Amino acid sequence: MISSQAGTDEKNDVIVEIQPLGRGEGIKIEINSPVKKQFGRQIESSILDVLHKRGIEDVKVTVHDKKALDFAIRARLEAAIDRAGGEGVEASQNSAVCAG
């Protein structure tokens, strides 16, 4: 897996960056959002859900949120994973993949 990102800096969108970490370092999530207090836990939960479904561990995910909806965050993360070489389990049929 290589570092990658997906998304735009537009209003109601999100930029998601993914970087591989060393084996055993786990998942690190950094969220930059004007609505982090209200929705930070939900954003983190969505990110973890996508990563676990794809079987991905030992990555750093950085989210630059511009008040994106949950489906957009998930789609941008899926796109970043695919661009990075997408190790792990295939995305579920319910997951959207959106390039940005």
Side-chain angles (χ1 to χ4, degrees):
M1 179 179 271
I2 61 171
S3 296
S4 71
Q5 73 175 32
T8 68
D9 199 28
E10 300 292 319
K11 180 178 167 184
N12 298 324
D13 202 356
V14 61
I15 296 175
V16 177
E17 300 173 11
I18 187 167
Q19 300 171 326
L21 297 175
R23 185 176 216 83
E25 287 190 57
I27 296 171
K28 296 182 184 349
I29 300 172
E30 180 181 326
I31 300 170
N32 302 304
S33 173
V35 294
K36 184 176 177 179
K37 283 189 177 184
Q38 296 92 342
F39 299 108
R41 287 187 195 160
Q42 176 59 41
I43 293 169
E44 184 174 328
S45 176
S46 293
I47 291 166
L48 289 171
D49 183 53
V50 171
L51 293 175
H52 289 143
K53 284 181 180 176
R54 296 289 294 260
I56 296 172
E57 300 175 355
D58 304 320
V59 294
K60 178 180 179 184
V61 177
T62 305
V63 177
H64 303 282
D65 177 45
K66 299 290 183 176
K67 299 184 180 179
L69 296 175
D70 184 65
F71 74 88
I73 295 168
R74 289 171 178 268
R76 296 306 192 189
L77 179 56
E78 290 277 2
I81 291 168
D82 289 342
R83 290 175 180 175
E87 296 176 355
V89 181
E90 288 298 313
S92 72
Q93 292 178 350
N94 295 330
S95 295
V97 176
C98 179

